[in-house]
Amino acid sequence: MIVSVLLVLLFNLFLGVPIFISLLVSSILFFFFLDTEIAFRIIPQQFFSGIDSFSLMAIPLFILAGNLLNESGLTPKLMSLSKVLVGHLKGGTGYVNIISSIFFSGVNGSAVADTSVLGTLLVPAMKKEGYSVGFAASLTAGSSLIGPIIPPSIFMIIYASLTNTPVGDLFLAGITPGLTLGVILFIANWRYAEINELKSFRCKPSLKHVFTAIVQAFPALIAPILIVLSIISGFVTPAESGSIIVLYTLIIGLVLRTLKWSSILKAFIDTAKLTTAIFVVIASSSVLTWLLGFAQVPAAFTSLFIPFFESPTIILFVLSGITFFVGMLMEEVSALILLTPVFIPIATYAGIDPIHLGIVVTMNITIALITPPMGACLYVASAVSKIDLEIMFREIIPFIFYALLILLLVILVPDFVLFIPKELN
């Protein structure tokens, strides 16, 4: 029965049916075989209880803070700082792309948003500098993966709400793999610039220009630091931290007179739209998750792994493969919500640290964003760069490989991600 339900879900996804409708249709089908009488009680109950979580309040607050920073004109200061720091190097615009993704990750934590913004602004500039449009678009999509890994991360907030894992520890654990991915992309860009003999079109900045750029971007740079420090200090919850950042961005924008009331209204409207889309998917996924639990799928799945409990690494490889495959076919938030309750019992029996598992799952979900055929960042990068999807699918392959290398390191060396949380705790 459960196999039939999942096949219906996949069939609807391939037809292009909106993800939340696909999830609800699959759930209703399940109840048709199970008991139609309890459907009218369970579906509404699980739909609303799925988003009845205090920790999920952090999501709209972080999104609102990012939108307010964008509307206040502070995020362009981050890009200006990136240009001052690395724009004078050979292939400088590529480095600006990567550095901007690292900076932007502390603002919104969304790979799709980073791809859209940076693709619109930097891909044309990279083409003028001598980059092929395929490499420029792929570098933009690849560097956007840093956003959901480095704090704050929407995926990590959802994972923490599902597993009762400290979100501050998850944020800290994501710093090392996120920055390492940035280093690898730097090397890839350097190699491309050398092979294609790209030239620098900017002069080396003076110390005065560097200092000025840092001062101008400082209000935006301090935001992610405030988020992480406030959470790991234990004084505030993630939702309260989000409230602090929203208040901070409002005050900074109004004091600097870069934030108008019309811009504030636009930021709230954009936040409401995106939050609604995310929460509807979470609510719909919660219904199907309840049904999977009712059908004892997690218990049956856990029993399959009993022979491998002595080797947590093998289990992580298998769970990673499942997450990666599902993430390629499904919307990322839905995949995270459906798989996490199934994976947690397995990880608990195998002695896998839930923070370690959270980073592995988050990275797989993130890499799926740039993996054909359903990777959302690929479609965004293709649209803003005005190139065919076939070219995008081909050019993105090396960047998928770079991200998988980091994932391999995370799986094989747990302390690679657990070192910072352990030391600070």
Side-chain angles (χ1 to χ4, degrees):
M1 184 190 305
I2 192 64
V3 174
S4 301
V5 172
L6 295 178
L7 288 176
V8 170
L9 173 61
L10 292 176
F11 180 72
N12 285 329
L13 292 176
F14 279 118
L15 289 179
V17 178
I19 180 65
F20 76 95
I21 295 178
S22 300
L23 291 166
L24 289 177
V25 168
S26 302
S27 302
I28 293 172
L29 177 64
F30 191 104
F31 277 110
F32 178 79
F33 288 107
L34 181 65
D35 188 346
T36 54
E37 292 184 2
I38 66 172
F40 295 102
R41 175 169 55 87
I42 296 297
I43 292 180
Q45 183 185 71
Q46 295 302 316
F47 186 89
F48 288 104
S49 66
I51 54 177
D52 185 19
S53 173
F54 181 77
S55 59
L56 291 180
M57 290 178 61
I59 294 177
L61 291 171
F62 285 140
I63 294 174
L64 177 59
N67 287 333
L68 288 172
L69 282 172
N70 290 332
E71 293 297 329
S72 65
L74 290 176
T75 46
K77 303 293 185 183
L78 295 175
M79 189 173 297
S80 298
L81 176 60
S82 302
K83 291 179 180 178
V84 170
L85 294 177
V86 295
H88 62 282
L89 302 175
K90 184 188 296 185
T93 311
Y95 296 123
V96 170
N97 198 325
I98 301 167
I99 291 290
S100 297
S101 289
I102 294 175
F103 286 158
F104 280 20
S105 67
V107 175
N108 53 43
S110 169
V112 176
D114 286 357
T115 302
S116 177
V117 174
L118 297 180
T120 302
L121 297 176
L122 291 179
V123 169
M126 293 178 71
K127 289 169 61 179
K128 292 180 180 179
E129 195 168 310
Y131 285 89
S132 70
V133 64
F135 183 89
S138 297
L139 181 64
T140 303
S143 64
S144 71
L145 299 188
I146 300 173
I149 301 174
I150 293 181
S153 167
I154 293 175
F155 292 155
M156 291 183 187
I157 294 172
I158 295 174
Y159 176 88
S161 70
L162 294 171
T163 61
N164 293 321
T165 304
V167 70
D169 288 347
L170 286 168
F171 282 177
L172 292 173
I175 294 175
T176 307
L179 294 181
T180 305
L181 178 58
V183 172
I184 290 181
L185 293 179
F186 255 69
I187 296 173
N189 184 69
W190 169 81
R191 182 172 178 272
Y192 183 92
E194 291 294 327
I195 291 176
N196 294 276
E197 299 180 349
L198 300 184
K199 297 180 180 180
S200 175
F201 294 93
R202 298 183 181 89
C203 298
K204 186 175 181 179
S206 63
L207 289 177
K208 180 181 179 181
H209 286 154
V210 174
F211 178 76
T212 301
I214 292 176
V215 170
Q216 291 177 342
F218 184 77
L221 288 173
I222 202 68
I225 298 175
L226 286 175
I227 292 173
V228 175
L229 290 181
S230 62
I231 292 176
I232 66 174
S233 65
F235 289 114
V236 298
T237 64
E240 293 166 345
S241 175
S243 301
I244 293 173
I245 296 302
V246 169
L247 181 61
Y248 167 80
T249 52
L250 278 172
I251 292 175
I252 292 296
L254 293 175
V255 169
L256 297 179
R257 297 183 179 179
T258 57
L259 194 60
K260 300 179 180 179
W261 291 109
S262 59
S263 301
I264 295 175
L265 177 61
K266 183 178 183 301
F268 273 90
I269 292 174
D270 292 342
T271 300
K273 290 179 180 178
L274 181 55
T275 302
T276 300
I278 293 174
F279 274 48
V280 166
V281 171
I282 293 175
S284 304
S285 301
S286 300
V287 178
L288 189 56
T289 300
W290 181 90
L291 289 170
L292 292 176
F294 181 83
Q296 298 185 343
V297 171
F301 200 63
T302 302
S303 66
L304 297 176
F305 285 82
I306 292 177
F308 306 103
F309 280 160
E310 298 298 324
S311 180
T313 302
I314 294 178
I315 291 178
L316 281 175
F317 272 116
V318 175
L319 298 183
S320 183
I322 294 171
T323 308
F324 185 67
F325 177 75
V326 173
M328 286 192 299
L329 301 177
M330 287 186 64
E331 194 274 337
E332 290 70 30
V333 173
S334 301
L336 179 65
I337 295 174
L338 289 176
L339 294 177
T340 298
V342 179
F343 288 173
I344 281 296
I346 300 171
T348 301
Y349 281 114
I352 298 172
D353 192 303
I355 298 173
H356 188 199
L357 176 66
I359 299 301
V360 170
V361 171
T362 298
M363 288 199 65
N364 274 287
I365 294 291
T366 303
I367 296 171
L369 287 168
I370 64 168
T371 304
M374 300 292 288
C377 288
L378 296 181
Y379 291 89
V380 173
S382 174
V384 300
S385 305
K386 299 178 181 178
I387 62 172
D388 294 335
L389 275 174
E390 292 79 5
I391 299 175
M392 192 74 222
F393 287 173
R394 183 175 66 250
E395 294 284 347
I396 199 64
I397 292 175
F399 295 90
I400 298 174
F401 176 74
Y402 302 147
L404 289 176
L405 280 179
I406 303 299
L407 177 61
L408 179 64
L409 182 60
V410 168
I411 293 175
L412 294 178
V413 187
D415 283 339
F416 178 66
V417 296
L418 297 177
F419 174 77
I420 295 180
K422 286 180 179 178
E423 289 297 314
L424 292 183
N425 284 334

